[in-house]
Amino acid sequence: MLGVCYYPEHWPEEWWADDARRMKDLGLTYVRVGEFAWSRYEPEPGVYDFGWYDRALDTLGKAGLKIVACTPTATPPKWLIDRYPDILPVDPITGQVRGFGSRRHYDFSSETYLRESIRITTALAERYGKHDAIVGWQTDNEIACHDTALSASPNARRAFQDWCRAKYVDIATLNKAWGNIFWSMEYRSFEEIEVPFLAVTETSPAHRMAFRRFTSDRVALYHKAQVDILRAHSPGRFITHNFIPPTDTGIDNYTMCRDLDFASFDNYPLGRTDVWMAKRPASEFRPYMRTGHPDYCTFLFDQTRSLAGGKFWIMEQQPGPVNWAGHNPRPLPGMIRLWTLEAFAHGAEVVSYFRWRQAPFAQEQMHAGLLRPDRTPSEAWPEVEQALRELKTLDLAPVPGAKARIAILYDHEAQWLGETERQADSYSHPDIMVNWYMAARRLGLDVDFIPADGDPNGYDIVLVPGLAMPDAATVKRLGDSGALLLFAARSGAKARDVNLPEGLPPGELRQLLPIRVTSVGTARPDCPEGMVWRNHTYQAFTWFEALELVGEVDVQASLADGSPALVRKNNALYMATLPEQDFIADLLETLCAERGVPTVRLPDDLRLRRRGDLTFAFNYAAVAREAPAPANAHFVLGSRTVAPRDLAVWRVPS
Amino acid sequence: MLGVCYYPEHWPEEWWADDARRMKDLGLTYVRVGEFAWSRYEPEPGVYDFGWYDRALDTLGKAGLKIVACTPTATPPKWLIDRYPDILPVDPITGQVRGFGSRRHYDFSSETYLRESIRITTALAERYGKHDAIVGWQTDNEIACHDTALSASPNARRAFQDWCRAKYVDIATLNKAWGNIFWSMEYRSFEEIEVPFLAVTETSPAHRMAFRRFTSDRVALYHKAQVDILRAHSPGRFITHNFIPPTDTGIDNYTMCRDLDFASFDNYPLGRTDVWMAKRPASEFRPYMRTGHPDYCTFLFDQTRSLAGGKFWIMEQQPGPVNWAGHNPRPLPGMIRLWTLEAFAHGAEVVSYFRWRQAPFAQEQMHAGLLRPDRTPSEAWPEVEQALRELKTLDLAPVPGAKARIAILYDHEAQWLGETERQADSYSHPDIMVNWYMAARRLGLDVDFIPADGDPNGYDIVLVPGLAMPDAATVKRLGDSGALLLFAARSGAKARDVNLPEGLPPGELRQLLPIRVTSVGTARPDCPEGMVWRNHTYQAFTWFEALELVGEVDVQASLADGSPALVRKNNALYMATLPEQDFIADLLETLCAERGVPTVRLPDDLRLRRRGDLTFAFNYAAVAREAPAPANAHFVLGSRTVAPRDLAVWRVPS
Amino acid sequence: MLGVCYYPEHWPEEWWADDARRMKDLGLTYVRVGEFAWSRYEPEPGVYDFGWYDRALDTLGKAGLKIVACTPTATPPKWLIDRYPDILPVDPITGQVRGFGSRRHYDFSSETYLRESIRITTALAERYGKHDAIVGWQTDNEIACHDTALSASPNARRAFQDWCRAKYVDIATLNKAWGNIFWSMEYRSFEEIEVPFLAVTETSPAHRMAFRRFTSDRVALYHKAQVDILRAHSPGRFITHNFIPPTDTGIDNYTMCRDLDFASFDNYPLGRTDVWMAKRPASEFRPYMRTGHPDYCTFLFDQTRSLAGGKFWIMEQQPGPVNWAGHNPRPLPGMIRLWTLEAFAHGAEVVSYFRWRQAPFAQEQMHAGLLRPDRTPSEAWPEVEQALRELKTLDLAPVPGAKARIAILYDHEAQWLGETERQADSYSHPDIMVNWYMAARRLGLDVDFIPADGDPNGYDIVLVPGLAMPDAATVKRLGDSGALLLFAARSGAKARDVNLPEGLPPGELRQLLPIRVTSVGTARPDCPEGMVWRNHTYQAFTWFEALELVGEVDVQASLADGSPALVRKNNALYMATLPEQDFIADLLETLCAERGVPTVRLPDDLRLRRRGDLTFAFNYAAVAREAPAPANAHFVLGSRTVAPRDLAVWRVPS
Ligand SMILES: [Zn+2]
Ligand SMILES: [Zn+2]
Ligand SMILES: [Zn+2]
């Protein structure tokens, strides 16, 4: 089903009915509203004005649209900020207050703002919680976007002290856990604790990790307050949130999703590709400039699918050029339709376009919509019509419950570790994760994600591109699952408080692998080392561990100096370095063969994905590609030869 | 005529008479004085000391020199800052106060400073307004240099609120004009308005554009206060200001010039070339490192000539290495003379060297003068002597009134738009303007500039590298002029408050061209698209518009995907993208042919310019070039073969 | 002799005795302790707890180890900062307070901190000054590391005003010396003086130079307070300080060393090579990534040796990967031993490893030690054993008194000048100095350093890569020494207060060379000029002076335009530019020949160094190299063919 994001407050009331009718006529099911309208709900302090919103909801509802209503907390109004300036966050790099004038100008640690966000959410939930047309709620908007999770405000400091007190109980415990003796950094009380910013040189990694955990917890606390209100006042409606990539926000989306019915994702393939590939040469970037990269957004789809049990929406789908990347190309013809069907192939339940009509004013006036500002259809319109027709011909299986045979373990703390303990400027856990994901996708594999504390059972292979500080139970669970486990270097690098584990890394992983990391060297990304596996030499990058074998273990690959690069014991494999993607693909192919997971070497820019008994092939290339469908495949959409930026869907008769 | 900048306060009084005599003996006519001497005019608060200045002026005047006196407001003294710290500006990027210790440490919005600048200007004007030797005044110095136009101070905020109140009258009008509903950015009163800086993410382009307009107006207001005083107290004397490039300051020099008798420009070819070409590879930069680029400073000459009716001075002319660029080479032998004559060829009335003698102390001690610090002639001296001799042999026509056949429309708001609405990091309106100027200059064309509200009549061709928010009258005036009009992509992109115009861009330009920009894509500069015109493929960069043709229009060039790249109706041409310079030159050549404007393909680094019946050829190349003079040309200076870094001047017998 | 850095406070008291025994068993002589332990010496304000330290010192002493005790002033505890926040420094670039949470969070100009540092130093000196096992003291730690020398605090401003008052006595003198009239920057009293930061544009070079001198003096004052206390309370013990490179701190280490018995250096070859070569391509960097560059650390050894009469220690020696560089590789096998012996070859008396055991917590947990965190030997251990064995076989001559035949004059003010008067972004006095050092080392030369006010007598050749503001006596001393003197461009560029000298540069150098620098041009580093010497063309970079010859002088090399590039009169040579290293090597070879100093063209990455009658050859290359030993050389270690990352030591029978 398809939906759209709509801002009635941006348009003359006379247009609303016509808009609603056209949405319905186009075939849209859902409409998301009310996201940034606080200054209209409450134009003066404590003076609510809901009349316009009543009428807007009624107009949409009467047209037969299902409404997703929002809490407007991403945009507190000016009068609220002027009244309570402590709502504003403080930039941890510059120490400057981040002011009013755009959005997200609030500090997650401000008790004032927590109270005010509860107040406005309650007002909306009480009034609209049982509105006929409202089928669900979206909380806030893109929480922690624009680097707003971390703040160095006095509020953050106070809340962090409380968090530390709750976690460590007495200050001596904290001092010991953080190693504060190291540079006389010992605190005498929780009131002495600072935020880990703006010090003379780097603060302790334990201090920074604690602050990252606190921040993530604090975001979840802030968010849960809204969820609780909506649950109480709006029975039978779903609650979701529209996430941006967790690699951008650095918060633990899994925790936030515990309170939600499902996760949503805001999908901007061109904007994200521009940002993600910003430093790549034109030769690498150019082919994807107007299509998006075939693996980057799907990586985020698959990750989002894992957040809340398999169900997810695309709450915002790019319908044309956007406005916020360094450069903002127009999608090539066909890509809106391709992206839409691709999201469904990866399990989306709903795709909702952002936005109904391009606004001719303010920050996003260069961001396309389904309609142009002059109310005529934009280029996206016929592609949406096509996607709707095609979706009807596909009998899409429900997603929750479906499972790939391969999973990637997603450990947000591995990202935090890479960011809080610099040891190699070029180390990036998200990059490793995407790299491995791409290797799997090149083999035609469907990929699931599981969180570090998730359930690995039922997978043939679990890839672990990083698992920073695992506890014994997590490792046991992984080992007991029976899956083949491939651990990247730096897995098990730390104990809980970012200390080196007892007996050296990989700490608890020694349950599975009798090895010891005795020394770690890192290298500039332009200085790789050779690595030999099955008589073939690959390149290894950035991170190089000296492994001591403290039990029986099979050395399967070695670095140029003969030291172990890949070791295996039973089902567990550990890599002492970070090899190039080709190696991951080659190794994974052998692991799949071992487990009888079928693979296929896909041509460049052709990607497969199954949903139910359907197999989708998406061709991002500029030339036609042959889909690797079996001879007896029954094509539901397209055919074996997939045109550029086109797709095919087939079913194999059983 | 030539002049020089002189700082008597830097030197022993015993030297003054000798300095004055040597200026006169050299053949200089003008001497500019008094620019930064506030701490000597008023060494203690309210205690003036004019004795030394009386003696300096008398000494210079008695030697027969004509004096240009300055207001010293670019350098308020320490005691003034200490007494009124609110004079200091606030950096809009860092939020830090910008302190005392160099120059330009004042906020244009400080009422205190406005009052104090009026006070010192009045004191000087009253005392010296009718001084025999003083023939004119320069206000302040290089207004808005060092990025001092924009300030985020409380003063700026208050003055901006007042400006908004005057402009929008009621706050609802402003909220609507700026689209403040977009993210609940609505204000309830003018007192709530913020400066558009230091917000969480980007503020509204309308907000930022308003602040740019306010800033430019405020600079003009500050400046006009001085002009009014000087007019009142110094009858018969001219008033001018020494501008730096408007592309650096982002203020509207045309408005400032309304109050002036003529504009002056500070011409530093090597420093500006170093800065402008800073990111170009050595292969491109090296040839101009010690000559300056042949088109960049002349672009600024021609633009300056347009500020106040054709008359302009070079108030500061580089006489050797300077001190302020990243690297500061020595001009190649002959360049001082070449630059001097080039300024006259482009219409300068006076060229005044900066400075008489290199100071052995303070910030600019590595900046050359006509004399070395030891009072002996520097390398510039004989070149100035030569230029003076040659100027006598040329019978230079007066400039005001003379007109080229080609003009470039200079719209400062097009630059502001590019800076306030990011849509492509690589978009730069100044770069487009310089690029087009270079294309015209390669064809041997003289080029005028006209402001957006200027008079296009009498030109055969008007190039419009950008015209951001034209009103109906401007477009009508352009259309009625009968000139061929070439509009760059993004012309007409916005309505007055940076909103998309009714009926989509190019808004009012639809008076001339029945087209609609339905979608805009931008691209990294290393990802150009092909564009075909007359069977030749060119490259197009950065900005790509989808044009809908809503009436009869001639498609003259297309992008690789077949979409229109250049359309024409009657005299108006519009480009949907930003093509490479070669295309502009080729197209312009055909437009010139259409209008009978003669062109000539000049060899690299040879440039032509006419003044009266004289044609000048300047050879920036390292090898000799043949001047494209007709067979019967009578050479007044040089000959047909122009030596490297040399010039020729001829007259064609009629 | 070897030593180690040990932090008993980081480890269980039960481990101390075992640690001490193993140090002794390994063969270590010295142990440095107590560096960062203030929060344990004084856990509450005024409440001292020395019991644990008594026991630690006794344990180490009883094991027969000689103790170097430290003052803990690099890490003031939290309670002290909270009580006296004025201790914190202010970042001169951002204007932000630099807070608690790491180390070095104190302002050298804080009178409070001066008093507190005296208090804790006195407490330690009184208690432990005569402790049997303590043989010496280290003050603070790596003074001015992390860019902590410069501060823009109110304390710094006040102290700077006092320094100015003491130096210039009356404000008119200061105004004149700094050229404050230039932009009306005149002060009316010392109380008006600002720190030279956060102004609108660049402050005067004289102002900034004064602040650099003040800062260096202030650091020395702070440091001397500790030295005086230790001298008074700890008779017979040496006092030293562990320096990092002076090029990093920008302070005058020679002045600090006047109070010390000898200088120490913290030697981290891989970390420093990563930082120093950060912008070099992999082709240049890769060969040294895991060995360190053969000339960079030895440059620092030789410079350190000059600080206090020839005697020096390596107080901290890298024993494996570190944690603080951009990337942190593992040393190649053999390098720990090679670096150790190399330090001795260059004159070190003691090499002390940092640290005994890798800490499993806090900022440096990825920094190797001699032991791993699990108390087992790291890879460094056997190399230290080997070095100890080998040191016993070498009969090392004492260093103080020994003298090379070549010296480099080290003028810290030349570095300050390059940093305070920008004239070429690519000018770096340290880079020139290292470049010249490398040229000398490629010729197999031993090199000494002397400070600008040091004694040049006894050297055959003195290289002067920069001598910014020499007085007459310094130049006379150099001239009278009889040494061949090679001056780099920009020598003598300024008089004392960063003014151009009387009669133009090179000012006082005209005692030796009758030349005048009439003009200076600078050039981007990718735009070198050709320079011809003895029919060979070299490249010259960045800085190009026009020389006027005002007396008899021999022009030995010229630039492409024929202007003098190298002139000589008697023993003095002056270069008008900065030639490539090959030229320096070729020229130096001829100068050595002239003086009968033997040279040898060494193969790449092989380096020689003599100590007493021993000659050491160090091979940094990946292949074996032949040592240029005479036929009758008697090899004490190794042999003529030196294996990769190996060394040889020989004696020539007399
Ligand atoms: Zn959004
Ligand atoms: Zn100037
Ligand atoms: Zn250290």
Side-chain angles (χ1 to χ4, degrees), chain C residues 103 141-142 242 266 268 316 354:
Chain C
R103 60 178 180 176
N141 172 66
E142 297 179 347
N242 62 329
D266 288 354
Y268 294 96
E316 302 184 6
F354 181 87

Side-chain angles (χ1 to χ4, degrees), chain A residues 387-407:
Chain A
L388 271 161
R389 279 194 308 272
E390 292 172 342
L391 281 168
K392 274 181 204 148
T393 75
L394 302 170
D395 186 21
L396 290 179
V399 168
K403 213 161 182 171
R405 299 184 64 177
I406 311 292

Side-chain angles (χ1 to χ4, degrees), chain C residues 442-465:
Chain C
R442 284 164 55 191
L443 298 172
L445 294 165
D446 288 352
V447 177
D448 281 353
F449 283 79
I450 55 170
D453 61 354
D455 179 7
N457 288 298
Y459 290 104
D460 286 288
I461 301 170
V462 176
L463 303 174
V464 186

Side-chain angles (χ1 to χ4, degrees), chain A residues 78-240:
Chain A
K78 186 60 169 38
W79 57 258
L80 188 64
I81 300 303
D82 286 347
R83 186 170 279 205
Y84 306 114
D86 87 297
I87 289 173
L88 296 174
V90 171
D91 189 308
I93 293 165
T94 65
Q96 286 286 345
V97 170
R98 303 178 75 183
F100 182 87
S102 57
R103 60 179 181 177
R104 305 213 53 72
H105 37 277
Y106 68 83
D107 194 313
F108 287 103
S109 296
S110 164
E111 293 293 330
T112 308
Y113 194 62
L114 182 59
R115 185 192 72 217
E116 292 292 313
S117 69
I118 287 171
R119 188 177 58 76
I120 191 70
T121 299
T122 304
L124 283 161
E126 286 179 344
R127 187 174 186 96
Y128 299 108
K130 292 162 188 152
H131 191 289
D132 279 351
I134 292 179
V135 297
W137 292 87
Q138 174 194 300
T139 49
D140 203 280
N141 172 66
E142 297 180 347
I143 271 196
C145 184
H146 311 308
D147 292 317
T148 48
L150 296 177
S151 170
S153 67
N155 281 324
R157 187 178 176 221
R158 229 163 3 240
F160 179 48
Q161 290 172 348
D162 291 345
W163 183 92
C164 289
R165 191 181 290 106
K167 191 158 186 84
Y168 293 98
V169 182
D170 67 278
I171 197 70
T173 305
L174 179 144
N175 281 327
K176 177 141 183 65
W178 293 7
N180 279 345
I181 178 56
F182 193 67
W183 282 342
S184 270
M185 298 172 295
E186 291 170 304
Y187 295 114
R188 295 180 306 148
S189 71
F190 288 98
E191 288 71 34
E192 285 186 351
I193 295 176
E194 297 282 355
V195 295
F197 306 116
L198 294 162
V200 168
T201 182
E202 56 170 342
T203 49
S204 172
H207 188 184
R208 280 180 278 163
M209 180 62 70
F211 197 84
R212 297 296 292 259
R213 287 171 175 154
F214 149 73
T215 296
S216 191
D217 286 357
R218 184 78 204 184
V219 170
L221 176 154
Y222 161 86
H223 179 250
K224 188 164 188 305
Q226 297 194 13
V227 174
D228 289 347
I229 295 161
L230 296 169
R231 286 268 176 254
H233 294 87
S234 196
R237 276 73 177 178
F238 65 76
I239 309 177
T240 188

Side-chain angles (χ1 to χ4, degrees), chain B residues 301-310 312 346 399 447-448 609:
Chain B
F301 291 165
D302 291 343
Q303 193 270 338
T304 302
R305 198 176 60 245
S306 74
L307 287 172
F312 78 104
H346 282 261
V399 168
V447 178
D448 281 353
R609 170 75 199 174

